Amino acid sequence: MKGGKVKNNILILCLNNQYARQIAKDLSSELEMFYLDINDILEYNLINDDMLDYAGQDYFEKEKLKTIKGLTQYESTMFAGNFELLSQDQNLETLAKSAVIVYIGLTKDFLELQDKNSDEKFKHTLLAFEEEDNFCKSSADVVCNCNGNLNEDLIIIKNELVKYYDK
């Protein structure tokens, strides 16, 4: 990127959480970046069976935002997080300060098939697919139209990142 601050972190945004994590892990390895799952960090830092009972929802939300803001200090990191978390509050906007947001666009049919075959705790309901897809596209710096083939999608993403950084 000419003339602006180069963001050296990448955030993978996808409507399938499991696929986002897999893409982020593989891409971080290929690009020699640190991999970090935002949900794992939040769970490690914040989730406690008694936390909400003792501290309350407001405190929890403030601590979550503080943790997410802290992630903007990382360098050369590939982030993955579930769509539900990233679409809440100012989470995506906060991370966009230090990360290029890459949306992995998958078809509704592919996502439905993945949800049917998944035991994942963050199963995604696709009732609002169009709205969520549009939200992701409008929030992303880089939009990659992918097909669900991991190897092909990694090539697509790397090519789109090259185009983005050559701007």
Side-chain angles (χ1 to χ4, degrees):
M1 280 182 53
K2 297 176 179 149
K5 180 185 175 201
V6 175
K7 298 177 183 180
N8 63 359
N9 295 325
I10 298 172
L11 171 66
I12 300 298
L13 179 61
C14 183
L15 296 179
N16 181 287
N17 304 321
Q18 188 174 4
Y19 198 68
R21 286 191 290 272
Q22 189 62 54
I23 286 282
K25 284 179 186 176
D26 291 357
L27 193 58
S28 68
S29 179
E30 287 189 33
L31 299 178
E32 298 180 1
M33 297 177 76
F34 179 68
Y35 167 75
L36 192 140
D37 186 309
I38 297 168
N39 294 86
D40 288 347
I41 292 294
L42 287 172
E43 188 172 322
Y44 178 78
N45 288 342
L46 299 176
I47 304 301
N48 177 320
D49 291 338
D50 299 323
M51 180 183 184
L52 287 175
D53 292 338
Y54 290 122
Q57 187 69 33
D58 287 341
Y59 176 79
F60 177 79
E61 293 301 324
K62 286 178 188 174
E63 289 300 306
K64 183 168 69 170
L65 183 58
K66 187 166 73 171
T67 299
I68 289 173
K69 283 181 179 178
L71 298 177
T72 63
Q73 302 304 310
Y74 284 57
E75 292 188 16
S76 193
T77 302
M78 179 78 58
F79 296 109
N82 72 48
F83 172 77
E84 293 78 12
L85 169 72
L86 295 173
S87 62
Q88 293 173 356
D89 305 318
Q90 301 295 311
N91 296 341
L92 201 55
E93 293 86 356
T94 299
L95 291 166
K97 294 174 184 171
S98 68
V100 174
I101 299 173
V102 177
Y103 174 51
I104 310 303
L106 298 166
T107 66
K108 184 176 182 180
D109 290 341
F110 177 80
L111 293 170
E112 287 173 338
L113 180 63
Q114 295 305 303
D115 274 358
K116 286 179 186 172
N117 296 328
S118 176
D119 292 334
E120 181 182 3
K121 67 178 178 179
F122 294 111
K123 269 194 167 184
H124 186 257
T125 55
L126 295 168
L127 299 174
F129 172 78
E130 296 295 326
E131 293 84 7
E132 291 174 355
D133 184 58
N134 288 334
F135 169 82
C136 292
K137 286 177 180 174
S138 67
S139 301
D141 299 304
V142 177
V143 175
C144 300
N145 296 313
C146 295
N147 62 21
N149 178 305
L150 187 62
N151 293 326
E152 291 175 12
D153 290 348
L154 286 169
I155 292 168
I156 291 168
I157 296 163
K158 287 187 285 187
N159 288 338
E160 292 299 322
L161 283 169
V162 167
K163 288 180 197 174
Y164 174 80
Y165 280 109
D166 280 348
K167 285 184 193 176

